[in-house]
Amino acid sequence: MATNAALALIQIVVGLLANAFSLVADAFHTLADLTTDALIAWASRRAGAPPDADHPYGHGRLETLASLSLGIVLVAVGGGFVWAAANRLQATEPLPPVTYPALVVALLVLASKEGLYHWLKHRGKKLNAPVLVAAAWHARSDAASSFVVAVGIGASLLGAPALEPIAAAIVGFLIASMGVRFAYRALAELVDTALEPEQVSAIAETIRATPGVIDVHELRTRRMGHQALVDAHVQVAPRLTVSEGHRVAEKVISRLKTRFHEEHELTVGDVTIHIDHEPDQAPDAPAHAPVPERAELLAAVRHALGFPAFASDWLQIHYLGGRCELDLLLPAPVPQALRPFVDHPERRAEATAILRQQMPCIKSVHWYLALEP
């Protein structure tokens, strides 16, 4: 940043004194990069603030808003340079002559940015920092625009003055195209565009590889600033307890935030996991009759057993395939009124038949006896 700031200052001063409009345009190209770095760094710090009462989903959209604002500004600046260059080319009076200091500065800037490319690339590989490697290629793209400026100024000094404003127009176009890219990415985030298909597939595979996960469906992704947000329905074994299903969800979230980041260089932020015990019903699948709630089933169990004191936590209900399966957990010691259901299998069969007759939705009834309190 310090190198680019010094180069931009030199370009502006010499460009104005040497009548090199393209050199001034290239300076603003460099300043646009500096502004981008500064604005995104500021927005990233602000976006990293924890959620609060007014922003329960965090402040990541600040980064998106900053990118959109910067994109609009860059489009306006780049378009202004193209417009000014076109006016200079259409002017009837001769263009002011470009002087040699402009060419010296243009070559200096070209060499400096090419040097930055090699230095950043070397440091990025040595430190295993992809962000520095990306910055290196950004410096190489800046060197390309500086090369265009140097060619334009050199041609002007050799007797083709029209090529210098053409070089300025090319740089203006590069600035505007940078702004379009920033604005497009920001708008894509604001309308909740999904991640790239390869990234979505990698997220799905990471979820499926988590122990306890059978499958994943209704996977939705979007971006908020530099983070990816993930919503997914995760299918687990149908008879898992609530706590074990929750534990599987926590494992999925942990893998996406740590292992996925390490392997795919994508930061995953907020993750919402919905645990399913079976695949969600297809829209065209036949609808089952409404199954009763716990209170109705508990009342039916108490009636069939003739034991009004049967506790709610002695009954486990599994809603599977549009029907329900009941687990009756008899405690230890068994209440005297329930003792016949332990000693006589026919009494259990009779109570099961009564339950299935009362509630046709009941597919099966399983009896369990605690051996110790």
Side-chain angles (χ1 to χ4, degrees):
M1 290 180 68
T3 301
N4 281 330
L7 291 175
L9 180 61
I10 295 172
Q11 284 176 300
I12 292 175
V13 173
V14 176
L16 293 175
L17 295 177
N19 301 318
F21 185 60
S22 59
L23 199 59
V24 177
D26 196 36
F28 274 88
H29 191 190
T30 303
L31 289 175
D33 293 340
L34 287 173
T35 306
T36 299
D37 294 339
L39 189 58
I40 297 302
W42 171 83
S44 297
R45 286 195 297 270
R46 295 284 296 177
D52 53 36
D54 294 329
H55 305 88
Y57 291 97
H59 302 76
R61 292 296 187 203
L62 285 175
E63 192 172 339
T64 309
L65 182 61
S67 296
L68 178 60
S69 303
L70 180 61
I72 294 173
V73 171
L74 291 179
V75 169
V77 171
F81 276 111
V82 173
W83 178 264
N87 287 336
R88 293 189 70 188
L89 288 172
Q90 294 176 357
T92 55
E93 64 275 7
L95 296 175
V98 177
T99 58
Y100 278 97
L103 180 60
V104 174
V105 171
L107 294 174
L108 172 65
V109 171
L110 173 59
S112 299
K113 291 186 176 179
E114 183 66 15
L116 276 178
Y117 160 73
H118 290 285
W119 180 73
L120 285 171
K121 186 178 179 182
H122 171 73
R123 296 297 295 172
K125 289 184 176 180
K126 185 175 181 179
L127 298 174
N128 194 26
V131 66
L132 288 183
V133 177
W137 284 106
H138 197 176
R140 169 60 69 85
S141 68
D142 291 345
S145 68
S146 299
F147 176 75
V148 172
V149 171
V151 170
I153 293 175
S156 179
L157 291 171
L158 293 175
L163 291 181
E164 196 274 332
I166 290 176
I170 293 175
V171 174
F173 174 78
L174 293 175
I175 296 174
S177 63
M178 183 193 306
V180 170
R181 288 196 299 271
F182 269 98
Y184 177 79
R185 285 198 295 263
L187 288 174
E189 286 186 30
L190 290 176
V191 297
D192 289 336
T193 302
L195 301 178
E196 296 295 327
E198 298 80 8
Q199 294 175 321
V200 175
S201 297
I203 289 174
E205 289 306 313
T206 301
I207 294 176
R208 290 191 181 98
T210 304
V213 173
I214 295 177
D215 200 6
V216 58
H217 53 279
E218 293 192 30
L219 174 60
R220 299 183 298 175
T221 62
R222 56 194 172 108
R223 285 189 180 274
M224 181 179 284
H226 65 283
Q227 293 185 330
L229 307 185
V230 179
D231 300 335
H233 285 221
V234 172
Q235 182 185 350
V236 299
R239 288 180 172 272
L240 287 190
T241 62
V242 173
S243 59
E244 189 176 358
H246 178 71
R247 183 174 177 83
V248 171
E250 287 183 327
K251 284 192 223 174
V252 169
I253 294 173
S254 175
R255 278 180 170 239
L256 288 177
K257 289 190 173 184
T258 55
R259 181 175 175 181
F260 186 83
H261 171 69
E262 294 169 359
E263 295 179 0
H264 301 278
E265 298 179 1
L266 178 68
T267 300
V268 176
D270 189 58
V271 180
T272 302
I273 298 298
H274 174 84
I275 292 295
D276 280 332
H277 61 286
E278 59 187 3
D280 289 334
Q281 189 179 35
D284 56 348
H288 295 282
V291 292
E293 299 296 331
R294 167 172 284 271
E296 298 175 70
L297 290 169
L298 181 61
V301 169
R302 287 170 175 170
H303 173 74
L305 271 61
F307 187 64
F310 194 91
S312 178
D313 58 357
W314 297 353
L315 170 65
Q316 285 190 353
I317 308 169
H318 303 281
Y319 293 99
L320 302 172
R323 303 183 68 183
C324 47
E325 301 177 10
L326 305 186
D327 292 345
L328 305 185
L329 313 177
L330 304 184
V334 181
Q336 192 61 36
L338 296 178
R339 194 72 231 176
F341 297 99
V342 177
D343 300 331
H344 304 288
E346 64 274 9
R347 290 295 305 272
R348 296 196 298 273
E350 179 184 351
T352 298
I354 293 174
L355 280 171
R356 298 188 66 179
Q357 183 178 9
Q358 281 185 309
M359 299 282 185
C361 74
I362 297 177
K363 181 179 179 181
S364 62
V365 179
H366 300 90
W367 299 73
Y368 297 91
L369 174 64
L371 298 181
E372 295 181 1

